[in-house]
Amino acid sequence: MEVHKYYIKKTDTLVSIAQELGLSASDLKEFHNKNSKPHEWIKVDNTLPVWSEYIMIPDSVEVLKRKQEDLLSPEKIILKQKVIAESKYTILQKIDMQVSGNSMVDSETEIVWECSKNKNEESFHIDIKQKSHQVKYIKSIYRQLAEYMQKFNRPMEHLIIELFSDGNIKAVLNQNEIKETWNILKTELEPELGDTIEEKTMIEGGDKDFSNTLPLIKNNILYCLFLKDVYGEYLELNQFIETGKQEYSSQLFGNEKVFLNVKRKVEKDSGIAIIKFYAESDSDKNGHLREIYNTKLKDFLQAHYEYSLTWSVEYHIDIEKGKMILCRSKIKEQANSKYSHLMEHEIVLN
């Protein structure tokens, strides 16, 4: 990293320099002391070095001031990924599936992740460790199945993921570790397994997913929310803007693709970027769902097809730190009033 110098004026203090350059006093002090000799260090009481006419700074004065102006500007937001020390997130997931007025699946799960983000040359790597996974509520008839299926999540309890510059998922870097964990789990599960087609299918699916885990992660709603492509430059604030199309795997129609129209609104509240996404199913692109419904479900439900899907997501991100503080997501999908699926997520930085 290239090191730049800030020449100290008589009236300067560590705090005043940090404010002028848009840095925290602690970060500025740490950077200077790492890049200077002991007799030039900023002291414990934040006294500036008396033996030097300058202090070390991470970029030029002009660039740092411009970044400070961008940060304070009410008209634009520049979100950049940054190195993040270990942080803990609590994730609450709620699912409710209704069939003819009866709740077939109703669950609430709490997950705790610890993660850190580091930069390796030109890419960022995020290290995610699952610390706990607790099914807080589920219908009693499904609890045993849920606890059994939870075992299949073990290979995903530690992930190291390479990210694109916008924050989206690029590659899984600990693929060998995931595969080895799956092989160990498979050996442990052997005494519990029978010889049914369903069990054979699960094992075959595990062999496939944990040998090449990237497609699995990209299709997992939780990882897609946590690693959403939100980093970039936003010049149009406080208005909804069409951002194009998106696909979603239907929870009502066996993971059939649902095509969505998506729009985005970005707001700024002091140093926090509030990014809102709103998506609706595209009625012109989802005719295949009507065909499936009329063939397989209409006679059972005794109701006409009236499909809709809405998905709202809101992020709160610390602009200076490039760090997500909060994410809320709500997806409501229904074939009609008798057949619906609701899924909600809340991800909170502790």
Side-chain angles (χ1 to χ4, degrees):
M1 178 187 291
E2 185 181 357
V3 178
H4 300 263
K5 299 175 181 178
Y6 173 93
Y7 288 87
I8 302 169
K9 302 186 291 289
K10 288 184 178 181
T11 56
D12 281 336
T13 64
L14 176 65
V15 172
S16 70
I17 296 171
Q19 289 176 342
E20 181 181 350
L21 301 180
L23 302 169
S24 71
S26 59
D27 286 347
L28 178 56
K29 177 180 177 180
E30 181 181 3
F31 183 88
H32 170 79
N33 288 355
K34 279 184 176 180
N35 292 280
S36 58
K37 298 176 181 178
H39 71 278
E40 297 172 329
W41 285 353
I42 297 171
K43 297 181 181 179
V44 175
D45 63 358
N46 291 339
T47 303
L48 295 173
V50 296
W51 305 108
S52 178
E53 58 183 1
Y54 55 81
I55 62 171
M56 303 297 189
I57 56 178
D59 214 326
S60 69
V61 172
E62 293 76 16
V63 169
L64 290 173
K65 285 186 175 181
R66 187 166 66 248
K67 288 180 179 179
Q68 172 75 336
E69 290 172 0
D70 288 341
L71 184 65
L72 298 175
S73 171
E75 299 175 355
K76 63 179 175 179
I77 294 175
I78 298 176
L79 272 183
K80 292 186 178 181
Q81 290 202 77
K82 297 186 179 180
V83 171
I84 296 175
E86 190 168 278
S87 305
K88 185 163 75 172
Y89 288 89
T90 299
I91 303 160
L92 190 64
Q93 173 180 278
K94 297 180 181 180
I95 297 175
D96 185 19
M97 185 172 180
Q98 298 275 338
V99 180
S100 298
N102 297 313
S103 182
M104 302 301 293
V105 178
D106 184 10
S107 67
E108 183 174 316
T109 304
E110 184 181 87
I111 306 166
V112 176
W113 281 357
E114 283 184 356
C115 66
S116 57
K117 188 186 291 186
N118 296 294
K119 191 170 185 181
N120 187 340
E121 296 180 352
E122 295 304 314
S123 66
F124 281 90
H125 296 172
I126 187 165
D127 189 315
I128 301 173
K129 297 182 180 71
Q130 180 178 287
K131 306 306 290 184
S132 68
H133 186 292
Q134 179 185 5
V135 180
K136 299 182 70 176
Y137 169 77
I138 194 169
K139 284 179 175 288
S140 58
I141 59 173
Y142 296 118
R143 178 166 288 280
Q144 187 174 358
L145 175 62
E147 291 175 351
Y148 176 71
M149 293 304 295
Q150 189 175 318
K151 295 179 182 179
F152 286 82
N153 189 56
R154 193 189 303 172
M156 303 271 282
E157 289 180 354
H158 180 217
L159 291 172
I160 303 174
I161 300 173
E162 184 177 8
L163 303 174
F164 287 108
S165 59
D166 60 11
N168 211 345
I169 304 165
K170 183 177 182 181
V172 179
L173 300 179
N174 65 328
Q175 183 62 68
N176 290 337
E177 176 190 342
I178 293 168
K179 185 176 180 179
E180 181 60 27
T181 304
W182 164 244
N183 288 332
I184 294 170
L185 174 62
K186 192 165 56 169
T187 301
E188 292 176 3
L189 289 173
E190 278 183 6
E192 302 180 42
L193 294 173
D195 196 32
T196 66
I197 294 175
E198 291 79 10
E199 288 169 313
K200 288 180 179 179
T201 300
M202 282 194 300
I203 295 300
E204 290 172 0
D207 288 338
K208 177 183 176 182
D209 289 338
F210 300 130
S211 295
N212 179 21
T213 311
L214 183 59
L216 178 65
I217 293 174
K218 285 189 171 182
N219 288 321
N220 183 291
I221 181 68
L222 181 53
Y223 292 101
C224 290
L225 287 172
F226 193 76
L227 302 172
K228 177 72 173 173
D229 52 340
V230 296
Y231 293 95
E233 187 170 326
Y234 299 97
L235 302 178
E236 298 176 274
L237 306 186
N238 306 312
Q239 57 183 308
F240 273 108
I241 297 171
E242 300 287 341
T243 61
K245 308 291 184 180
Q246 184 176 335
E247 292 183 2
Y248 175 76
S249 296
S250 172
Q251 302 302 303
L252 297 179
F253 293 96
N255 289 322
E256 287 285 333
K257 293 298 182 185
V258 181
F259 298 95
L260 309 174
N261 294 319
V262 185
K263 53 187 178 181
R264 181 194 67 215
K265 183 179 182 181
V266 181
E267 302 170 349
K268 192 172 189 179
D269 183 2
S270 298
I272 304 300
I274 302 172
I275 305 175
K276 301 177 181 179
F277 293 92
Y278 183 76
E280 290 183 305
S281 52
D282 186 335
S283 57
D284 295 331
K285 301 288 185 179
N286 294 305
H288 59 298
L289 302 180
R290 179 186 291 273
E291 294 176 14
I292 296 172
Y293 180 86
N294 289 336
T295 302
K296 298 182 177 181
L297 296 169
K298 185 175 181 180
D299 291 343
F300 169 71
L301 292 170
Q302 294 293 301
H304 292 293
Y305 175 85
E306 296 178 10
Y307 184 83
S308 67
L309 187 148
T310 59
W311 185 359
S312 61
V313 189
E314 179 174 320
Y315 292 92
H316 291 199
I317 299 176
D318 186 310
I319 299 171
E320 182 179 359
K321 296 179 180 178
K323 187 174 186 177
M324 185 176 74
I325 301 169
L326 170 71
C327 170
R328 291 193 185 98
S329 170
K330 181 176 180 180
I331 306 172
K332 184 173 183 180
E333 181 184 16
Q334 62 177 37
N336 51 43
S337 59
K338 291 189 174 182
Y339 188 37
S340 65
H341 186 274
L342 178 67
M343 181 160 50
E344 298 179 85
H345 287 90
E346 183 175 78
I347 306 171
V348 180
L349 176 66
N350 290 351

